[in-house]
Amino acid sequence: MDAQGRGRADNIDPADQWVLNPDTGEYELRLTPSAPQSAVPGPRRPAPRGPGANGGAGGAGGPAAGRRSGAPGRQQVRDAAPPGAVPGQRRRRGTPPPEEPLPGRRGHRPGKKKSRAKKVLLWTGGTMAFVVVVAGVGGYLVLKHLEGNVTTTDVGSAAKQGFSKDEAFNILIIGTDKRTGKGNQGYGDKGSVGHADTNILLHVSKDRTNATALSIPRDLIVNVPDCPTKQPDGSTKVIPGTDHVRFNTSLGQDGRDPGCTMRTVKAVTGISPDHFMMADFNAVKTLTSAVGGVDVCLKHAVNDPDSHLKLTAGEHKIEGEQALAFVRTRHSFGNQGDLDRIKVQQQFLSSLMRKMSSGDTLTNPAKLYDLADAATKALTVDTGIGKVSTLKDMALELKKVPTKNITFLTTPVIDNPAEKVHATVVLNPTTAPQVFDAIKNDVSFTEVKKKQKQQKDAEAARLKGTQSAASEVRVRILNGGAAAGSAQETLTWLQNDEGVLKSENAGNAPRELDRTTLEYAPDQAAQARKLAAVMGLSGAALKPGESVTNSQGLPAMTLTLGKDFKGAGVSLTAPSKAPEVDKSTADKVQCAS
């Protein structure tokens, strides 16, 4: 039975608990199962109050109608050399000549700051609540009420305009140190503009067998790129980037929005976040109270005067202010640094996820509603997922992933060699790229179902067999998300360096792809294997299908260069196995140490 079924204890559907109050003329939600129900038989719905108020979920006229609508469309790549054109001098890949930098374009790495314990909790719980909550609390009126809780921010082209149920997806989850919300004046830095102090890049696999939650340290030294940012008057302002600064300055500093943090993640990892979710201090307090507390375990007693956490060794159930203190504590765990606190936060999040997925939560309509209400009030998201119906779709997809296959890990880093007293970190040049490549290529960090192994075996089999001569390979090249000029660059390289003379530039693909693909007919398999060997394509990139007609009217394969394209001659072979790293999974109970 799914979450929706379990959410109807005693045959009570939360959507049907909206009843008419004859004294006020308004519909009210009665949560207690024993509360008297409306005398009018059947589910009740309020009369439409304006244009678009009737209809199903997602109709116009709801609370979100006044928000700014979708982000502008992506800029189309330009790669439209005439089909069949024979290249002359090799064209360079990339953008036009760079302009002179703006004054103040690049800043210096900030001086060392005294570390402070009063920072941010693992805000991720506010977003994970949708995994079991929105799916369980059904009904049009409930969804519209929840939609009114969600705040949206237009980050332009940094985020996608919608959500696809058929693709892998990446959500950047951000927590800030800004003092917002009632009762939060004692937390965080008093004058903070709201930095990205807690960051998790959540990758959900295409087949939904696994997910990876990658924590990005706030003190990681990065180059923050230029960032187009929407202004209150609707205009767009480009905020200059800065080099050699802490990752957390990608948000808030100089007016940067979450889109700047998304762009920084892409620059650092090569992984493009599709959407973002951001929450405030209230997330942990309200969510843990909504589920009746979260179980945690400590290997030793903690008495932290900075976070005000005081717990004995052993198991505890914490909620509200105590839960906030638990995830803010740094000086009581490990080496008293931020990396050790990240591990504790991951353990806390795993416990919260287990509690939200438990029968005690799923079979209690009142608890489900409180959890959904708390989660949506804690969230700020991009306009592409601003509707609760979209968030529900996303939650249902994430809910398909078994907790044993949800992996938590931290970006591999080393101490900053430029510092005598270590206060910041930099990417581990050996292991970090391996982790990023595994995530980009949808490789699980856990053992997954036999079905996925069979799929991997089938993909590998496409590369086995005879190969045609390079001179016999006939292919059309399209740009489907790679840098401008990539199709022509690849054509030049294939013809001049690899002897693939029967190739042509077919311009732009109809849509952008995350990954490069090669589609071919059954009788072109030998050609496909040859081109895969030349370009370093994996079996997953080969798509058995149909041939197309090239400019000479002859059958040809179709090579579409996706966003993963790294340049002509650079191998695109995906890793088949994730690297060995320090990690944990959501189903395991661990004690903070």
Side-chain angles (χ1 to χ4, degrees), residues 329-516:
T329 296
R330 178 173 59 187
H331 298 304
S332 298
F333 300 122
N335 296 321
Q336 302 185 12
D338 193 54
L339 297 181
D340 290 297
R341 182 169 59 175
I342 286 175
K343 292 181 180 179
V344 173
Q345 292 174 340
Q346 291 172 347
Q347 294 164 12
F348 174 85
L349 178 58
S350 296
S351 181
L352 177 60
M353 292 177 67
R354 290 193 297 270
K355 186 61 179 285
M356 289 191 299
S357 301
S358 68
D360 178 58
T361 300
L362 293 173
T363 58
N364 188 323
K367 187 176 289 187
L368 273 173
Y369 181 83
D370 288 345
L371 186 52
D373 196 45
T376 48
K377 285 180 178 176
L379 285 179
T380 297
V381 302
D382 60 270
T383 52
I385 54 173
K387 289 185 176 295
V388 166
S389 57
T390 305
L391 290 171
K392 185 181 80 168
D393 289 342
M394 186 179 295
L396 289 171
E397 294 304 307
L398 183 54
K399 181 173 173 285
K400 296 176 182 178
V401 182
T403 54
K404 67 178 182 178
N405 289 335
I406 299 177
T407 304
F408 293 91
L409 65 153
T410 303
T411 301
V413 295
I414 57 175
D415 289 329
N416 188 350
E419 297 174 339
K420 292 183 178 179
V421 178
H422 297 306
T424 60
V425 293
V426 296
L427 290 179
N428 184 316
T430 302
T431 54
Q434 295 175 355
V435 169
F436 301 153
D437 282 345
I439 295 174
K440 279 189 291 187
N441 290 285
D442 212 18
V443 177
S444 175
F445 284 81
T446 59
E447 293 295 330
V448 294
K449 295 179 180 180
K450 183 178 180 180
K451 179 180 178 182
Q452 189 183 53
K453 183 179 184 303
Q454 292 173 338
Q455 179 182 347
K456 296 293 183 184
D457 291 343
E459 291 171 351
R462 296 171 192 164
L463 298 174
K464 297 178 180 178
T466 59
Q467 299 179 8
S468 299
S471 59
E472 297 303 316
V473 174
R474 186 178 290 111
V475 60
R476 298 170 71 248
I477 307 167
L478 289 86
N479 192 328
S486 293
Q488 184 62 36
E489 178 190 17
T490 301
L491 175 67
T492 302
W493 171 71
L494 286 175
Q495 293 190 347
N496 293 349
D497 298 349
E498 299 297 330
V500 183
L501 302 178
K502 297 178 181 178
S503 51
E504 63 183 36
N505 179 355
N508 291 326
R511 62 187 181 94
E512 293 185 355
L513 301 178
D514 289 330
R515 297 183 187 179
T516 297

Side-chain angles (χ1 to χ4, degrees), residues 441 463 493-494 516 528-539 541-542 564 566 569-575:
N441 290 285
L463 298 174
W493 171 71
L494 286 175
T516 297
R529 288 191 286 266
K530 178 60 179 180
L531 189 60
V534 168
M535 297 192 62
L537 298 176
S538 67
L542 272 59
D564 63 338
K566 303 173 184 178
V570 181
S571 175
L572 288 172
T573 300

Side-chain angles (χ1 to χ4, degrees), residues 26 34 47 54 98 124 137 151 198 212 221 249 258 296 305 315 323 328 355 385 432 450 453 489 520 553 562:
E26 298 289 334
S34 59
N54 59 345
T124 319
V137 182
T151 303
T198 298
T212 302
I221 295 299
T249 61
V296 297
E315 298 180 355
R328 287 175 53 236
K355 186 61 179 285
I385 54 173
K450 183 178 180 180
K453 183 179 184 303
E489 178 190 17
Y520 57 95

Side-chain angles (χ1 to χ4, degrees), residues 101-178:
L102 296 173
R105 163 73 175 87
R106 299 294 177 195
H108 298 287
R109 184 166 62 85
K112 300 181 183 68
K113 295 174 62 178
K114 182 179 179 181
S115 62
R116 307 182 68 171
K118 294 183 178 180
K119 292 295 182 183
V120 188
L121 52 106
L122 188 58
W123 312 116
T124 319
T127 66
M128 292 296 190
F130 276 97
V131 177
V132 294
V133 176
V134 182
V137 182
Y140 172 71
L141 290 179
V142 173
L143 291 179
K144 296 308 288 184
H145 169 76
L146 297 177
E147 190 164 287
N149 291 343
V150 180
T151 303
T152 60
T153 296
D154 186 353
V155 295
S157 61
K160 289 185 176 180
Q161 295 186 17
F163 171 72
S164 172
K165 298 180 183 180
D166 303 320
E167 299 293 337
F169 61 92
N170 302 310
I171 306 294
L172 180 61
I173 301 163
I174 308 171
T176 79
D177 60 355
K178 188 175 183 179

Side-chain angles (χ1 to χ4, degrees), residues 256-313:
R256 294 182 179 126
D257 66 6
C260 298
T261 308
M262 297 173 72
R263 288 183 167 90
T264 303
V265 168
K266 182 177 180 181
V268 172
T269 68
I271 304 168
S272 298
D274 300 314
H275 302 285
F276 85 88
M277 294 179 175
M278 184 169 64
D280 60 20
F281 282 110
N282 286 315
V284 164
K285 293 194 291 184
T286 56
L287 287 169
T288 53
S289 296
V291 297
V294 172
D295 297 321
V296 297
C297 176
L298 287 83
K299 289 186 177 179
H300 58 78
V302 172
N303 186 1
D304 190 334
D306 292 316
S307 68
H308 309 296
L309 179 68
K310 188 174 183 179
L311 291 173
T312 60

